[in-house]
Amino acid sequence: MKHVPLTEDNQMPKAFDPQAVEAGWYARWESDGLFIADANSENRKFTICLPPPNITGELHMGHALNHTLQDIVARYRRMAGYEVLFLPGTDHAAIATQNVIEKQLAAEGMTKEQLGREAFTARVDEWYRNVGDTIVSQDRVLGISLDWTRLRFTMDARYYRSVMTAFVEFYERGWIYRAPRIVNWCPHDRSAISDLEVEWQEHQDTLYFIRYRIEGGGDVTIATVRPETMLADTGVAVNPNDERYRSLIGKTAVLPLVGRKLPIVGDDAVDKDFGTGALKVTPGHDPMDYEIGQRHGLEIVNGMHDDASMNVPGLPYDGLPALDARRRVVEDLKAQGFLVKEEPYAHEVGHCDRCHTIIEPLISDQWWLRMDIMRDKALAASEAGKVRWHPERYERTYLDWLRGLRDWNIGRQLWLGHRVPVYYCGNGHKIVTVEAPEMCSECGSTELTQDPDVLDTWFSSALWPFATLGWPDETEDLKTFYPNDMNSTAREIINLWVSRMIMTGLEFMGEVPFSDVAIHCVVQAADGRRMSKSLGTGVDPRDLIQNYGTDALRAWVASVAMSTQDVRFDESRIEGYRRFCNKLWNATRLLLSSPGIQSSDRPGALEVQEHLEDRWILSRLSHACGVVTAGIEAFTFQESINAAYAFAWNEFCDWYLEAIKDRLRAGDIVAQDIAFSCLDALLRFLHPFMPFVTEELWSRLPGRSDYVMRNPWPQPDFVDPRAEEEFGQAMAIVEEVRGHRQAAEAPPRGGRLQLDGSTGKTVASLAARLAHVDLVEELDRGTPLVTAVGRVSFPAGSGDSRREKERKRLEEDLAKLEAKLANEEFQTRAPAGVVKNLEERAEATRSALARLTAGE
RNA sequence: GGGCGGCUAGCUCAGUGGGAGAGCGCUUGCCUCACACGCAAGAGGUCGUUGGUUCAAACCCAACGCCGCCCACCA
């Protein structure tokens, strides 16, 4: 395939323009099928299933970060010879989407109840079609190399069937059951939500102390922040070890305002030191009370409707919203002399993480999934080292949660989501099947109604690593690409999502769904606040791409994503990476402008390494490439991008290209080829981080066809410690001469440098050339050097203001070194290598000082 | 209440036992035929506090102080 750079002429513009460079590449990669995975490939496989964003969402910084990380790994693996499947998809986001549709309906003066469930579902489907893949399409702008032929949606027919299958399989194992329990009830969504979907916020409330009379004389005072729930009290509990109350156990209290008789029970769960030490027991509205009630056989009263209004027929509070009822109850208690006192009280109150409504714990019949067996398998898998976490410490977060895991409330009382596949016939039979049944399997009745509940969104997400590949069918994809290799997420969904994928993967596929989990950091606003749309603190990645280019954004992401702490957004660092793109652009431009370059890429030229700088840069290239590779493999992307940046800018551009400029102009084939070889490798190992600019520049190199992303990962292995040592000497001398030149206010070029035999001829002449001075045999007057034995002088300029300062620095260094060397314990206990190193440094400092002084 | 992470240059962050680093910002000099989105030379830090371990601590340990996150059925 003949490859043509995007801009046809080879006259490269002087400055890098991200918009122009990024414009066409993605479409070409995609249309040439570069991201399509071949299940029949002979290569080793590498799979990532992109965490599905909510279909209603907009691309934000978190996506940019997470998707970029995965793309870095995917592109790297492709170049390293793997058959990579990087699968995209979206999540139906039940509660979020339902809220959106309900708002639309409200704007039209309608409710979903008026519309009816079927019409509502149709409306949702239409919405999904309209929103379609806009969210994931934005990944194209980010350059994410996803296999779009395998795009999945959690509400697709195929995926739906996977979810139903999972439910039925769990059901048939006897792990799914229906039972009344206290659940987190969202009165706005009128649905239960799981513990993990509850958001806790501190509230300043009031703690009310209320006196309950005891039959046969006396009374007991309890404390509560939710006095309205007392209307559903069915008992009073005290700690059996509490001297104050022990004698009350077995007696009966009388509920104020209601008159209900409340057995007084003893239970260890009661904290003697909280409030009064006596607890009102409301099994219908508090998880702990529910358990106490179960232990003592207390009655359960449900005192609330599903919209959080009171359900207390016959009482004046019936139908009131909870907070209104609270006020009335408190007033009445006060009026009747039952309210002992009120205290300000700060505590955590649960809110729905989707709509932020205050959660009401209440008793409800729900679908539950038994977790103990899956939990134990997951724990065993971790013990066997099947899943590696990056950074490692998150494994503990996960394991701690897992160990305390309880059954999962998988039912939701929404209209949107995967419908529970349970059908009831008119004769009281229950049918649980993947496909909707025609008739009752037991009595043949065709009057069937489906259970109204839908499943928790995370139930379907839990199946992502294999349901996307076709499970339960044994598809080619499933056989080839399961297990996945990597999962990358923010830490906030480790328990919601990652843990559940691991459990279902082990259960249904018999293997953990991925071997590595990368947990990336969170980008905060520049002032340290959370980035959020509602706070107005969000930064739109698309604006950054507009201003600095995708490559700059991605390089920055790589430099911060795996940071141990959350990072504050810092635009100047992104700008820095745009300048880096520009640097690469211009380095390429320099090489392409050297004479005779179009016939370059002659095999063999690389074998000639007579020049010190050539050997040096090739050695440094091998080093840099090794660091970049190791960084990606270890999920420490910052090490990769830092090494690539430093090599490209500080070594290749600042030193090597400067050193070979004359040779380039003279058409030196060796210099050209070594420079091209370095640039070629550099563009390749930068490609996963900065795909657009590297593809563009690489396409302009002579003799390069096809795409850089389809070329092999570079593995240079030229290591030459002696060249690195010698070139290092030259660098030190050049920097010192430049320093003297500036201090002497001498012109930028000219002057004479004399070096004695201790500096090799190659090093001496290279240093002189780069420092723009003439190398001479003899030099009587001039500034003595510190980095080598020799002197430098300049044609014009005033004295040497640096000397005193330099002397002071050297003297201080020497004093420190000598003090340490004089320490006997150091001499005897420190490793020999450390002592030797210090001795050498001391000697070098002494001779530098001597040279400085001798010159006076 | 339990756990985790952070505190390093003016700002944002790397570094994790033996010579304090980067980007941006700042100072000075340069439009040197790749790049002023640049080149060169600099200034700037008792590495949160206090103890301990060690010949040696930014780095290991302990306590404390702030900042942030996760988990938790004390009304």
Side-chain angles (χ1 to χ4, degrees), chain A residues 57-87:
Chain A
E58 282 197 20
L59 188 83
H60 57 64
M61 197 60 90
H63 296 127
L65 193 121
N66 192 24
H67 297 188
T68 296
L69 281 196
Q70 294 168 71
D71 192 52
I72 288 169
V73 176
R75 285 178 184 263
Y76 160 70
R77 293 287 170 182
R78 263 189 217 103
M79 294 175 75
Y82 288 77
E83 187 63 29
V84 171
L85 170 60
F86 189 10
L87 182 146

PDB file of all heavy atoms in Angstrom, chain A residues 57-87:
ATOM      1  N   GLY A  57     -24.374  10.265  28.811  1.00  0.00           N
ATOM      2  CA  GLY A  57     -23.346  11.171  29.327  1.00  0.00           C
ATOM      3  C   GLY A  57     -22.650  11.988  28.277  1.00  0.00           C
ATOM      4  O   GLY A  57     -22.865  11.836  27.081  1.00  0.00           O
ATOM      5  N   GLU A  58     -21.815  12.884  28.754  1.00  0.00           N
ATOM      6  CA  GLU A  58     -20.941  13.630  27.864  1.00  0.00           C
ATOM      7  C   GLU A  58     -19.516  13.285  28.225  1.00  0.00           C
ATOM      8  O   GLU A  58     -19.199  13.027  29.377  1.00  0.00           O
ATOM      9  CB  GLU A  58     -21.157  15.132  28.059  1.00  0.00           C
ATOM     10  CG  GLU A  58     -22.399  15.609  27.375  1.00  0.00           C
ATOM     11  CD  GLU A  58     -22.380  17.120  27.208  1.00  0.00           C
ATOM     12  OE1 GLU A  58     -21.292  17.716  27.270  1.00  0.00           O
ATOM     13  OE2 GLU A  58     -23.454  17.675  27.026  1.00  0.00           O
ATOM     14  N   LEU A  59     -18.686  13.320  27.224  1.00  0.00           N
ATOM     15  CA  LEU A  59     -17.281  13.017  27.446  1.00  0.00           C
ATOM     16  C   LEU A  59     -16.696  14.025  28.430  1.00  0.00           C
ATOM     17  O   LEU A  59     -16.771  15.223  28.216  1.00  0.00           O
ATOM     18  CB  LEU A  59     -16.531  13.116  26.124  1.00  0.00           C
ATOM     19  CG  LEU A  59     -15.087  12.648  26.172  1.00  0.00           C
ATOM     20  CD1 LEU A  59     -15.027  11.142  26.030  1.00  0.00           C
ATOM     21  CD2 LEU A  59     -14.286  13.310  25.085  1.00  0.00           C
ATOM     22  N   HIS A  60     -16.142  13.529  29.516  1.00  0.00           N
ATOM     23  CA  HIS A  60     -15.507  14.449  30.458  1.00  0.00           C
ATOM     24  C   HIS A  60     -14.078  14.018  30.733  1.00  0.00           C
ATOM     25  O   HIS A  60     -13.584  13.056  30.148  1.00  0.00           O
ATOM     26  CB  HIS A  60     -16.331  14.579  31.736  1.00  0.00           C
ATOM     27  CG  HIS A  60     -16.580  13.267  32.438  1.00  0.00           C
ATOM     28  ND1 HIS A  60     -15.558  12.508  32.962  1.00  0.00           N
ATOM     29  CD2 HIS A  60     -17.716  12.574  32.679  1.00  0.00           C
ATOM     30  CE1 HIS A  60     -16.058  11.416  33.516  1.00  0.00           C
ATOM     31  NE2 HIS A  60     -17.368  11.429  33.344  1.00  0.00           N
ATOM     32  N   MET A  61     -13.428  14.759  31.628  1.00  0.00           N
ATOM     33  CA  MET A  61     -12.019  14.517  31.883  1.00  0.00           C
ATOM     34  C   MET A  61     -11.737  13.072  32.306  1.00  0.00           C
ATOM     35  O   MET A  61     -10.745  12.489  31.916  1.00  0.00           O
ATOM     36  CB  MET A  61     -11.554  15.484  32.974  1.00  0.00           C
ATOM     37  CG  MET A  61     -10.067  15.631  33.051  1.00  0.00           C
ATOM     38  SD  MET A  61      -9.367  16.234  31.525  1.00  0.00           S
ATOM     39  CE  MET A  61      -9.442  17.970  31.839  1.00  0.00           C
ATOM     40  N   GLY A  62     -12.658  12.522  33.108  1.00  0.00           N
ATOM     41  CA  GLY A  62     -12.461  11.147  33.562  1.00  0.00           C
ATOM     42  C   GLY A  62     -12.411  10.164  32.406  1.00  0.00           C
ATOM     43  O   GLY A  62     -11.564   9.270  32.379  1.00  0.00           O
ATOM     44  N   HIS A  63     -13.291  10.345  31.433  1.00  0.00           N
ATOM     45  CA  HIS A  63     -13.253   9.473  30.251  1.00  0.00           C
ATOM     46  C   HIS A  63     -11.958   9.666  29.494  1.00  0.00           C
ATOM     47  O   HIS A  63     -11.302   8.707  29.098  1.00  0.00           O
ATOM     48  CB  HIS A  63     -14.407   9.799  29.290  1.00  0.00           C
ATOM     49  CG  HIS A  63     -15.767   9.548  29.864  1.00  0.00           C
ATOM     50  ND1 HIS A  63     -16.738  10.509  29.875  1.00  0.00           N
ATOM     51  CD2 HIS A  63     -16.295   8.451  30.448  1.00  0.00           C
ATOM     52  CE1 HIS A  63     -17.829   9.999  30.448  1.00  0.00           C
ATOM     53  NE2 HIS A  63     -17.584   8.763  30.807  1.00  0.00           N
ATOM     54  N   ALA A  64     -11.610  10.928  29.270  1.00  0.00           N
ATOM     55  CA  ALA A  64     -10.397  11.220  28.498  1.00  0.00           C
ATOM     56  C   ALA A  64      -9.213  10.506  29.124  1.00  0.00           C
ATOM     57  O   ALA A  64      -8.393   9.889  28.441  1.00  0.00           O
ATOM     58  CB  ALA A  64     -10.154  12.730  28.441  1.00  0.00           C
ATOM     59  N   LEU A  65      -9.164  10.567  30.435  1.00  0.00           N
ATOM     60  CA  LEU A  65      -8.044   9.963  31.144  1.00  0.00           C
ATOM     61  C   LEU A  65      -8.082   8.441  31.049  1.00  0.00           C
ATOM     62  O   LEU A  65      -7.122   7.800  30.622  1.00  0.00           O
ATOM     63  CB  LEU A  65      -8.138  10.407  32.609  1.00  0.00           C
ATOM     64  CG  LEU A  65      -6.933  10.146  33.455  1.00  0.00           C
ATOM     65  CD1 LEU A  65      -6.436  11.477  33.994  1.00  0.00           C
ATOM     66  CD2 LEU A  65      -7.278   9.264  34.617  1.00  0.00           C
ATOM     67  N   ASN A  66      -9.203   7.887  31.403  1.00  0.00           N
ATOM     68  CA  ASN A  66      -9.309   6.434  31.448  1.00  0.00           C
ATOM     69  C   ASN A  66      -9.166   5.813  30.059  1.00  0.00           C
ATOM     70  O   ASN A  66      -8.465   4.818  29.874  1.00  0.00           O
ATOM     71  CB  ASN A  66     -10.657   6.059  32.078  1.00  0.00           C
ATOM     72  CG  ASN A  66     -10.722   4.587  32.418  1.00  0.00           C
ATOM     73  OD1 ASN A  66      -9.702   3.934  32.601  1.00  0.00           O
ATOM     74  ND2 ASN A  66     -11.926   4.058  32.471  1.00  0.00           N
ATOM     75  N   HIS A  67      -9.805   6.400  29.084  1.00  0.00           N
ATOM     76  CA  HIS A  67      -9.759   5.831  27.739  1.00  0.00           C
ATOM     77  C   HIS A  67      -8.370   5.957  27.123  1.00  0.00           C
ATOM     78  O   HIS A  67      -7.900   5.066  26.423  1.00  0.00           O
ATOM     79  CB  HIS A  67     -10.817   6.490  26.855  1.00  0.00           C
ATOM     80  CG  HIS A  67     -12.210   6.231  27.343  1.00  0.00           C
ATOM     81  ND1 HIS A  67     -13.337   6.589  26.635  1.00  0.00           N
ATOM     82  CD2 HIS A  67     -12.668   5.636  28.480  1.00  0.00           C
ATOM     83  CE1 HIS A  67     -14.420   6.237  27.319  1.00  0.00           C
ATOM     84  NE2 HIS A  67     -14.036   5.674  28.441  1.00  0.00           N
ATOM     85  N   THR A  68      -7.718   7.079  27.403  1.00  0.00           N
ATOM     86  CA  THR A  68      -6.361   7.265  26.887  1.00  0.00           C
ATOM     87  C   THR A  68      -5.409   6.211  27.438  1.00  0.00           C
ATOM     88  O   THR A  68      -4.613   5.624  26.704  1.00  0.00           O
ATOM     89  CB  THR A  68      -5.840   8.673  27.240  1.00  0.00           C
ATOM     90  OG1 THR A  68      -6.646   9.639  26.573  1.00  0.00           O
ATOM     91  CG2 THR A  68      -4.392   8.837  26.825  1.00  0.00           C
ATOM     92  N   LEU A  69      -5.499   5.969  28.735  1.00  0.00           N
ATOM     93  CA  LEU A  69      -4.627   4.961  29.351  1.00  0.00           C
ATOM     94  C   LEU A  69      -4.757   3.624  28.654  1.00  0.00           C
ATOM     95  O   LEU A  69      -3.778   2.955  28.349  1.00  0.00           O
ATOM     96  CB  LEU A  69      -5.057   4.720  30.800  1.00  0.00           C
ATOM     97  CG  LEU A  69      -4.627   5.713  31.829  1.00  0.00           C
ATOM     98  CD1 LEU A  69      -4.824   5.082  33.200  1.00  0.00           C
ATOM     99  CD2 LEU A  69      -3.182   6.038  31.606  1.00  0.00           C
ATOM    100  N   GLN A  70      -6.009   3.230  28.438  1.00  0.00           N
ATOM    101  CA  GLN A  70      -6.243   1.926  27.821  1.00  0.00           C
ATOM    102  C   GLN A  70      -5.750   1.926  26.391  1.00  0.00           C
ATOM    103  O   GLN A  70      -5.227   0.930  25.894  1.00  0.00           O
ATOM    104  CB  GLN A  70      -7.729   1.585  27.880  1.00  0.00           C
ATOM    105  CG  GLN A  70      -8.189   1.386  29.310  1.00  0.00           C
ATOM    106  CD  GLN A  70      -9.703   1.335  29.419  1.00  0.00           C
ATOM    107  OE1 GLN A  70     -10.323   0.380  29.009  1.00  0.00           O
ATOM    108  NE2 GLN A  70     -10.288   2.377  29.963  1.00  0.00           N
ATOM    109  N   ASP A  71      -5.898   3.064  25.734  1.00  0.00           N
ATOM    110  CA  ASP A  71      -5.449   3.135  24.342  1.00  0.00           C
ATOM    111  C   ASP A  71      -3.930   3.057  24.242  1.00  0.00           C
ATOM    112  O   ASP A  71      -3.389   2.480  23.300  1.00  0.00           O
ATOM    113  CB  ASP A  71      -5.962   4.427  23.698  1.00  0.00           C
ATOM    114  CG  ASP A  71      -5.776   4.386  22.194  1.00  0.00           C
ATOM    115  OD1 ASP A  71      -6.212   3.402  21.578  1.00  0.00           O
ATOM    116  OD2 ASP A  71      -5.160   5.331  21.642  1.00  0.00           O
ATOM    117  N   ILE A  72      -3.250   3.636  25.212  1.00  0.00           N
ATOM    118  CA  ILE A  72      -1.786   3.540  25.228  1.00  0.00           C
ATOM    119  C   ILE A  72      -1.377   2.069  25.254  1.00  0.00           C
ATOM    120  O   ILE A  72      -0.534   1.619  24.479  1.00  0.00           O
ATOM    121  CB  ILE A  72      -1.207   4.297  26.448  1.00  0.00           C
ATOM    122  CG1 ILE A  72      -1.338   5.805  26.247  1.00  0.00           C
ATOM    123  CG2 ILE A  72       0.250   3.900  26.690  1.00  0.00           C
ATOM    124  CD1 ILE A  72      -1.049   6.632  27.488  1.00  0.00           C
ATOM    125  N   VAL A  73      -2.030   1.328  26.131  1.00  0.00           N
ATOM    126  CA  VAL A  73      -1.689  -0.087  26.257  1.00  0.00           C
ATOM    127  C   VAL A  73      -2.085  -0.846  24.985  1.00  0.00           C
ATOM    128  O   VAL A  73      -1.318  -1.661  24.472  1.00  0.00           O
ATOM    129  CB  VAL A  73      -2.369  -0.702  27.488  1.00  0.00           C
ATOM    130  CG1 VAL A  73      -2.095  -2.197  27.564  1.00  0.00           C
ATOM    131  CG2 VAL A  73      -1.874  -0.013  28.757  1.00  0.00           C
ATOM    132  N   ALA A  74      -3.276  -0.546  24.463  1.00  0.00           N
ATOM    133  CA  ALA A  74      -3.749  -1.257  23.265  1.00  0.00           C
ATOM    134  C   ALA A  74      -2.809  -1.018  22.083  1.00  0.00           C
ATOM    135  O   ALA A  74      -2.419  -1.949  21.376  1.00  0.00           O
ATOM    136  CB  ALA A  74      -5.167  -0.808  22.924  1.00  0.00           C
ATOM    137  N   ARG A  75      -2.446   0.241  21.860  1.00  0.00           N
ATOM    138  CA  ARG A  75      -1.555   0.541  20.729  1.00  0.00           C
ATOM    139  C   ARG A  75      -0.181  -0.090  20.923  1.00  0.00           C
ATOM    140  O   ARG A  75       0.435  -0.592  19.969  1.00  0.00           O
ATOM    141  CB  ARG A  75      -1.433   2.059  20.545  1.00  0.00           C
ATOM    142  CG  ARG A  75      -2.683   2.684  19.916  1.00  0.00           C
ATOM    143  CD  ARG A  75      -2.549   4.202  19.793  1.00  0.00           C
ATOM    144  NE  ARG A  75      -3.775   4.806  19.286  1.00  0.00           N
ATOM    145  CZ  ARG A  75      -3.991   5.130  18.001  1.00  0.00           C
ATOM    146  NH1 ARG A  75      -3.065   4.910  17.102  1.00  0.00           N
ATOM    147  NH2 ARG A  75      -5.132   5.665  17.631  1.00  0.00           N
ATOM    148  N   TYR A  76       0.304  -0.041  22.160  1.00  0.00           N
ATOM    149  CA  TYR A  76       1.597  -0.663  22.443  1.00  0.00           C
ATOM    150  C   TYR A  76       1.562  -2.156  22.134  1.00  0.00           C
ATOM    151  O   TYR A  76       2.445  -2.697  21.473  1.00  0.00           O
ATOM    152  CB  TYR A  76       1.991  -0.418  23.902  1.00  0.00           C
ATOM    153  CG  TYR A  76       3.021  -1.384  24.417  1.00  0.00           C
ATOM    154  CD1 TYR A  76       4.335  -1.329  23.940  1.00  0.00           C
ATOM    155  CD2 TYR A  76       2.702  -2.374  25.343  1.00  0.00           C
ATOM    156  CE1 TYR A  76       5.293  -2.229  24.390  1.00  0.00           C
ATOM    157  CE2 TYR A  76       3.640  -3.272  25.792  1.00  0.00           C
ATOM    158  CZ  TYR A  76       4.934  -3.200  25.317  1.00  0.00           C
ATOM    159  OH  TYR A  76       5.864  -4.098  25.752  1.00  0.00           O
ATOM    160  N   ARG A  77       0.506  -2.825  22.606  1.00  0.00           N
ATOM    161  CA  ARG A  77       0.427  -4.274  22.400  1.00  0.00           C
ATOM    162  C   ARG A  77       0.327  -4.624  20.918  1.00  0.00           C
ATOM    163  O   ARG A  77       0.905  -5.615  20.471  1.00  0.00           O
ATOM    164  CB  ARG A  77      -0.774  -4.853  23.150  1.00  0.00           C
ATOM    165  CG  ARG A  77      -0.657  -4.790  24.652  1.00  0.00           C
ATOM    166  CD  ARG A  77       0.334  -5.805  25.183  1.00  0.00           C
ATOM    167  NE  ARG A  77       0.605  -5.588  26.595  1.00  0.00           N
ATOM    168  CZ  ARG A  77       1.463  -6.297  27.320  1.00  0.00           C
ATOM    169  NH1 ARG A  77       2.156  -7.262  26.753  1.00  0.00           N
ATOM    170  NH2 ARG A  77       1.656  -6.029  28.585  1.00  0.00           N
ATOM    171  N   ARG A  78      -0.416  -3.816  20.182  1.00  0.00           N
ATOM    172  CA  ARG A  78      -0.511  -4.077  18.740  1.00  0.00           C
ATOM    173  C   ARG A  78       0.863  -4.031  18.104  1.00  0.00           C
ATOM    174  O   ARG A  78       1.248  -4.904  17.341  1.00  0.00           O
ATOM    175  CB  ARG A  78      -1.393  -3.028  18.069  1.00  0.00           C
ATOM    176  CG  ARG A  78      -2.810  -3.467  17.878  1.00  0.00           C
ATOM    177  CD  ARG A  78      -3.574  -2.478  17.008  1.00  0.00           C
ATOM    178  NE  ARG A  78      -4.927  -2.401  17.529  1.00  0.00           N
ATOM    179  CZ  ARG A  78      -5.392  -1.406  18.260  1.00  0.00           C
ATOM    180  NH1 ARG A  78      -4.626  -0.356  18.516  1.00  0.00           N
ATOM    181  NH2 ARG A  78      -6.616  -1.444  18.719  1.00  0.00           N
ATOM    182  N   MET A  79       1.616  -2.970  18.449  1.00  0.00           N
ATOM    183  CA  MET A  79       2.947  -2.837  17.848  1.00  0.00           C
ATOM    184  C   MET A  79       3.881  -3.933  18.335  1.00  0.00           C
ATOM    185  O   MET A  79       4.802  -4.340  17.638  1.00  0.00           O
ATOM    186  CB  MET A  79       3.518  -1.450  18.165  1.00  0.00           C
ATOM    187  CG  MET A  79       2.724  -0.326  17.499  1.00  0.00           C
ATOM    188  SD  MET A  79       3.310   1.308  17.979  1.00  0.00           S
ATOM    189  CE  MET A  79       4.828   1.429  17.020  1.00  0.00           C
ATOM    190  N   ALA A  80       3.637  -4.417  19.556  1.00  0.00           N
ATOM    191  CA  ALA A  80       4.493  -5.477  20.099  1.00  0.00           C
ATOM    192  C   ALA A  80       4.085  -6.850  19.576  1.00  0.00           C
ATOM    193  O   ALA A  80       4.589  -7.873  20.033  1.00  0.00           O
ATOM    194  CB  ALA A  80       4.451  -5.456  21.627  1.00  0.00           C
ATOM    195  N   GLY A  81       3.151  -6.892  18.631  1.00  0.00           N
ATOM    196  CA  GLY A  81       2.852  -8.142  17.945  1.00  0.00           C
ATOM    197  C   GLY A  81       1.632  -8.896  18.433  1.00  0.00           C
ATOM    198  O   GLY A  81       1.411 -10.041  18.049  1.00  0.00           O
ATOM    199  N   TYR A  82       0.857  -8.287  19.290  1.00  0.00           N
ATOM    200  CA  TYR A  82      -0.347  -8.953  19.788  1.00  0.00           C
ATOM    201  C   TYR A  82      -1.522  -8.700  18.854  1.00  0.00           C
ATOM    202  O   TYR A  82      -1.577  -7.675  18.174  1.00  0.00           O
ATOM    203  CB  TYR A  82      -0.736  -8.433  21.167  1.00  0.00           C
ATOM    204  CG  TYR A  82       0.179  -8.892  22.281  1.00  0.00           C
ATOM    205  CD1 TYR A  82       1.428  -8.311  22.458  1.00  0.00           C
ATOM    206  CD2 TYR A  82      -0.213  -9.898  23.151  1.00  0.00           C
ATOM    207  CE1 TYR A  82       2.272  -8.720  23.478  1.00  0.00           C
ATOM    208  CE2 TYR A  82       0.616 -10.324  24.181  1.00  0.00           C
ATOM    209  CZ  TYR A  82       1.863  -9.728  24.340  1.00  0.00           C
ATOM    210  OH  TYR A  82       2.677 -10.138  25.348  1.00  0.00           O
ATOM    211  N   GLU A  83      -2.480  -9.648  18.857  1.00  0.00           N
ATOM    212  CA  GLU A  83      -3.772  -9.419  18.232  1.00  0.00           C
ATOM    213  C   GLU A  83      -4.628  -8.768  19.300  1.00  0.00           C
ATOM    214  O   GLU A  83      -4.980  -9.396  20.299  1.00  0.00           O
ATOM    215  CB  GLU A  83      -4.394 -10.739  17.754  1.00  0.00           C
ATOM    216  CG  GLU A  83      -5.668 -10.548  16.943  1.00  0.00           C
ATOM    217  CD  GLU A  83      -5.405  -9.772  15.653  1.00  0.00           C
ATOM    218  OE1 GLU A  83      -4.281  -9.856  15.112  1.00  0.00           O
ATOM    219  OE2 GLU A  83      -6.328  -9.066  15.201  1.00  0.00           O
ATOM    220  N   VAL A  84      -4.913  -7.477  19.100  1.00  0.00           N
ATOM    221  CA  VAL A  84      -5.567  -6.718  20.156  1.00  0.00           C
ATOM    222  C   VAL A  84      -7.050  -6.531  19.862  1.00  0.00           C
ATOM    223  O   VAL A  84      -7.418  -6.091  18.774  1.00  0.00           O
ATOM    224  CB  VAL A  84      -4.906  -5.336  20.316  1.00  0.00           C
ATOM    225  CG1 VAL A  84      -5.709  -4.453  21.264  1.00  0.00           C
ATOM    226  CG2 VAL A  84      -3.473  -5.488  20.824  1.00  0.00           C
ATOM    227  N   LEU A  85      -7.870  -6.874  20.842  1.00  0.00           N
ATOM    228  CA  LEU A  85      -9.274  -6.495  20.776  1.00  0.00           C
ATOM    229  C   LEU A  85      -9.518  -5.414  21.817  1.00  0.00           C
ATOM    230  O   LEU A  85      -9.287  -5.625  23.007  1.00  0.00           O
ATOM    231  CB  LEU A  85     -10.202  -7.694  21.068  1.00  0.00           C
ATOM    232  CG  LEU A  85     -11.686  -7.291  21.258  1.00  0.00           C
ATOM    233  CD1 LEU A  85     -12.245  -6.624  20.015  1.00  0.00           C
ATOM    234  CD2 LEU A  85     -12.533  -8.501  21.642  1.00  0.00           C
ATOM    235  N   PHE A  86      -9.944  -4.269  21.337  1.00  0.00           N
ATOM    236  CA  PHE A  86     -10.261  -3.157  22.228  1.00  0.00           C
ATOM    237  C   PHE A  86     -11.715  -2.791  21.914  1.00  0.00           C
ATOM    238  O   PHE A  86     -12.003  -2.175  20.896  1.00  0.00           O
ATOM    239  CB  PHE A  86      -9.294  -1.991  21.934  1.00  0.00           C
ATOM    240  CG  PHE A  86      -9.356  -0.859  22.926  1.00  0.00           C
ATOM    241  CD1 PHE A  86     -10.055  -0.945  24.120  1.00  0.00           C
ATOM    242  CD2 PHE A  86      -8.657   0.318  22.656  1.00  0.00           C
ATOM    243  CE1 PHE A  86     -10.084   0.108  25.016  1.00  0.00           C
ATOM    244  CE2 PHE A  86      -8.679   1.379  23.550  1.00  0.00           C
ATOM    245  CZ  PHE A  86      -9.396   1.278  24.730  1.00  0.00           C
ATOM    246  N   LEU A  87     -12.590  -3.279  22.790  1.00  0.00           N
ATOM    247  CA  LEU A  87     -14.020  -3.279  22.466  1.00  0.00           C
ATOM    248  C   LEU A  87     -14.767  -2.116  23.125  1.00  0.00           C
ATOM    249  O   LEU A  87     -14.668  -1.940  24.330  1.00  0.00           O
ATOM    250  CB  LEU A  87     -14.622  -4.626  22.917  1.00  0.00           C
ATOM    251  CG  LEU A  87     -16.098  -4.866  22.645  1.00  0.00           C
ATOM    252  CD1 LEU A  87     -16.329  -6.349  22.335  1.00  0.00           C
ATOM    253  CD2 LEU A  87     -16.989  -4.439  23.805  1.00  0.00           C
TER     254      LEU A  87
END
